[in-house]
Amino acid sequence: MFWMMKTMSVIVTTIFLAIPLCRLSYAEAINYNQLRLMAAKHNMTCILVFGDSSVDPGNNNYLPTPIKSNFLPYGEDFYSGHPTGRFCNGRLTTDFIAEAFGYTDLVRAFLDPAITKKDMLHGVSFASAASGYDEFTANLSNVMSISKQLDYFRHYKTHVRNLVGTEESEEIVRNALVILSMGTNDFLISYYLDPTRSRQYSIEQYQIYLISRMKTAIKKMHSLGARKVAVIGVPPIGCMPLLRTLRHDIKCDAELNEIAFSFNSKIQRELKTLAGPSFTSVFVDVYRIILNAAESPKRYGFTEALKGCCGSGTYEYGNTCKDLSTCSDRTKYVFWDAVHPTERMYKIIADDVLELILSYMF
């Protein structure tokens, strides 16, 4: 999820779940044994991920783009303190989801040359930081667009078929959990930073355009064999420390948040139109989760929601965060840098994704 390019650089049923203001801890909310038994009963095989920096574990490391985070302090809490290309101090939501199902404790980047057969069979991420539903968004930063991610999905299927044969490879994809998380960059980069889209569309028209692109992507996933999709909505972009800094406001920006909320409502409505006998989806209301944490941090055990942990926490992210000092206790911060959540916030989001899957996908 990026705003500035330089250094800031379905469906049997579709479910919307309003997230309560206060959540149980991750371990308390999700029964791992129950989750894994249900996944085994329903033959869930692996996790396949599409999206932006919210779910990119390092694909951008292998692209000719300045949008990277393969340097410290990113990865400061990632096991031995190793930066991987994740825009976080540790693991991402998708890593925690994979661990909960018992597949692996990490979702690997598909472009990683060190990826193994085991990694391929447990699930991979095609996500690319700074990407979006709009192809124009990815082109601005020279990252992988959603259509390119889908091309790599085809390559993935070929690799798996060569590993286990046609029949088993089709079953792996058919029973995989597909996670789709993007949209933020379309608004912050393509609409508000670059003037191109704002000259072509009103904000309402642009939302409709993005929904059409999302729908096309999901249909393509379905045509390639995907049957279970969790769509993660757009976060409250007006609560990002960077946006608060630029707007000179300690409160979340209501106008930007309303745009995110409106877009998420459109996602939910569109998912309902895709309903069919062989495709199941859930909508993850990450907007409400992060908004609640940003506005009532103490309810989640956080003490800081106004700024990130890296540097001053007010504007640094990506390259501007490189080699800077960080806060002493990352578990008390909602945001890691001025744009992206901390590992602990991602874990809370994972909790809700898993609860949705357990309650409605099975």
Side-chain angles (χ1 to χ4, degrees), residues 354-362:
L354 291 164
E355 189 171 319
L356 279 167
I357 292 167
L358 186 61
S359 300
Y360 298 106
M361 256 188 183
F362 296 150

Side-chain angles (χ1 to χ4, degrees), residues 262-281:
S262 174
F263 182 62
N264 287 337
S265 297
K266 289 179 175 63
I267 291 176
Q268 296 169 58
R269 288 197 295 270
E270 191 60 42
L271 290 178
K272 292 177 183 178
T273 71
L274 295 172
S278 62
F279 207 39
T280 305
S281 79

